[in-house]
Amino acid sequence: MDLEGRRRRFEALAPAVIEAVRRYLVRRTDPATADDVLSETLLVCWRRLEEIPEDHLPWAYGVARNCLANADRSRRRQARLFARIATIDPPPPAIAGPEPRDGELEAAMANLRAADAELLRLWAWEDLSPPQIAVVLGISANAASIRLHRAKEKLREELRKAGAAAGHEGETEGSRP
Amino acid sequence: MTDDDLRALLRRADPARDLPASPQRFPLEDIMTTATPAPPAPRKKIALAAAALVLVAAGIGWLTLRPEETTPTVTTQELRTVQLTAPGVQAKCVEPTAEVLAERADFAFAGTVTAVEGATVTLDVTRVYRGDAAGQVRIAQAGDSSEQMMGSGKFENGKKYLVASSQGSMLICGYSGEADAEGLQGLYDRAFA
C-alpha cells in the first residue's frame, strides 16, 4: 500500500479507534497513563496498519491492552518504591467515606479472578461479543464464550453471597449492646 | 438475575459512562509523521539473501556446466526459473519514477502467483519486460510483510503482480506490486517502452 493510501485508511479509522480506546483506558487506568497509552496504541496501529482486520476495534483493544500492560509493569516498579517509602513514613489514614451505591458490585468483581473480571468488563463496558473478546485477549472464540459464561455465573454467585452477608452483618450490629 | 440484568448492573458502574466526547482533536499528523525506524538488517536476512545468491549461482552454474542436452533447440516450454529475494526491511520511499525503474531493473516481469509456501512465493511469468525469458520466478520473502509493495502489500495466491529486480533482489518502494495497483502498469509501460 502506498503512503497516501495508508494515510487515508488511518485517517478514516482513527477517530473511532481513538474514541473507543480512550474509553477503554479511562475504565482501567489513571488519566495520565490513559493519554500515554492511547498515543502508543495509535502509533502501533499506524505501523501495523496492514494487519488491522475489517472489524478493527477488538484488534485495537488488544493492542491497547498490551500497551497498558507494559505501562503497568513500569508503574508497579514505581509503586514498590513508594510502598517502601510509605512503610518508613506512613501517610495519615484516610477517613472512610460513605460506601458508594455500587460498592457491592465492586466487591463482588474484586473477588473474581482478574481474568474473569476483565472478560465481564469487555462484555458489558466495551459491548463486545465473545468472538470479539477472543480477538482482544488472543484466545479462541470458543474459549472466550465458555469463559464468559463461567465468569457471569461466578459474578452472580458473588453477588448472592454479598447480599446474604450484608443481611447477616446488619443483624449482629443491631444486637450489640 | 438474567444476562441483561447483569450487564445493566455492570454498566451502571462503568467509569466511562458519563465521559464526554474527546474535546481536542488528536494530533494524528504527529503519529503518521513519526518515522518508522528501519530495523538494522538482521543476520537472518543476510543469510537468506546469501542463500538465494548461492541458489542463483548454482542455477547459472548448472545452466552453463550442464551436459549438452539431446535437444539443443530452445524451447519455450522449459524456461529457466529465477530466484529473487524480497527485503523485509522497512524504509522510507521516494516517489517511484520510470527513469529509475528503467535504470535499476535488470529483470522485470508480470506474473501470477501460483503458490505461497512459507516464505517462498512462486509466480508463473506471463510477460517479461526486461531480462531473459523465464517461465517461473520464485521469490524468497524476508519477514512477513513487504510494506513498500504496491497494492495489498503482500503476495496472494492467484493475483497478478508486476515485479522488478536488480541483481536478484526485488525492487520495492513502489517498483513492484499488484498489477492493478494505481499507476504501476503505467510505470512499467513507460520504463520499458
Side-chain angles (χ1 to χ4, degrees):
Chain A
M1 199 186 298
D2 60 356
L3 189 62
E4 207 37 54
R6 295 191 90 224
R7 292 179 74 102
R8 270 201 300 275
R9 179 163 186 226
F10 186 66
E11 275 166 353
L13 62 79
V17 169
I18 291 170
E19 211 37 50
V21 171
R22 201 168 68 96
R23 280 167 192 278
Y24 174 92
L25 293 169
V26 162
R27 286 161 180 149
R28 287 164 180 84
T29 188
D30 61 277
T33 312
D35 281 351
D36 287 353
V37 175
L38 176 58
S39 298
E40 218 170 302
T41 303
L42 284 170
L43 199 58
V44 172
C45 288
W46 166 244
R47 284 187 180 152
R48 296 170 59 190
L49 197 61
E50 283 73 15
E51 296 168 42
I52 302 181
E54 196 64 27
D55 187 11
H56 53 264
L57 284 187
W59 190 90
Y61 285 138
V63 171
R65 180 170 171 267
N66 288 332
C67 291
L68 183 59
N70 280 339
D72 280 346
R73 263 194 291 280
S74 51
R75 228 165 31 148
R76 273 202 298 277
R77 280 195 286 275
Q78 264 177 9
R80 277 199 294 275
L81 176 65
F82 290 147
R84 279 205 296 276
I85 296 169
T87 323
I88 301 162
D89 184 14
I95 295 136
E99 272 284 280
R101 180 65 197 88
D102 280 322
E104 211 168 84
L105 175 69
E106 225 165 278
M109 285 287 272
N111 280 340
L112 297 183
R113 288 190 319 136
D116 287 340
E118 184 57 18
L119 271 165
L120 290 168
R121 287 188 206 106
L122 288 169
W123 168 66
W125 292 354
E126 271 78 35
D127 212 3
L128 299 181
S129 65
Q132 291 174 316
I133 291 174
V135 172
V136 180
L137 301 179
I139 57 178
S140 75
N142 211 12
S145 182
I146 294 167
R147 286 186 208 170
L148 176 62
H149 180 76
R150 287 191 191 142
K152 284 180 203 164
E153 287 306 309
K154 280 181 203 153
L155 179 61
R156 285 195 188 98
E157 177 61 32
E158 285 296 333
L159 286 170
R160 257 196 306 277
K161 275 199 286 190
H168 185 68
E169 213 170 73
E171 266 177 49
T172 46
E173 247 174 37
S175 66
R176 247 178 226 160
Chain B
M1 191 183 281
T2 66
D3 271 14
D4 285 345
D5 293 342
L6 198 65
R7 204 201 280 238
L9 182 70
L10 279 162
R11 283 202 180 141
R12 277 201 293 279
D14 179 358
R17 194 167 53 137
D18 302 320
L19 189 73
S22 185
Q24 82 273 34
R25 256 182 66 82
F26 202 89
L28 280 185
E29 199 58 33
D30 291 356
I31 301 258
M32 291 189 290
T33 47
T34 303
T36 310
R43 284 173 175 281
K44 200 176 134 198
K45 279 168 194 159
I46 296 168
L48 243 168
L53 271 178
V54 168
L55 273 174
V56 170
I60 293 166
W62 181 77
L63 279 173
T64 47
L65 299 175
R66 70 186 158 154
E68 203 60 35
E69 294 255 334
T70 44
T71 49
T73 47
V74 178
T75 63
T76 48
Q77 297 299 312
E78 281 187 60
L79 285 164
R80 69 183 180 129
T81 296
V82 178
Q83 183 88 25
L84 301 174
T85 51
V89 185
Q90 301 185 356
K92 290 225 161 211
C93 300
V94 291
E95 200 165 328
T97 63
E99 289 72 38
V100 173
L101 181 59
E103 187 194 311
R104 288 186 54 199
D106 53 25
F107 181 56
F109 70 96
T112 307
V113 174
T114 53
V116 181
E117 284 158 11
T120 305
V121 183
T122 308
L123 295 102
D124 270 357
V125 177
T126 50
R127 177 177 173 187
V128 174
Y129 287 89
R130 176 172 289 177
D132 297 331
Q136 219 176 44
V137 175
R138 274 201 289 274
I139 301 178
Q141 291 192 100
D144 51 11
S145 79
S146 313
E147 207 160 279
Q148 287 79 16
M149 228 174 85
M150 303 205 35
S152 70
K154 56 176 185 285
F155 286 108
E156 281 169 50
N157 214 342
K159 279 199 183 167
K160 232 190 131 186
Y161 292 85
L162 290 167
V163 176
S165 70
S166 172
Q167 297 173 350
S169 259
M170 190 173 125
L171 297 176
I172 50 163
C173 276
Y175 290 113
S176 296
E178 272 180 59
D180 54 8
E182 210 182 312
L184 193 61
Q185 184 68 60
L187 191 74
Y188 272 57
D189 291 341
R190 283 196 304 281
F192 305 114

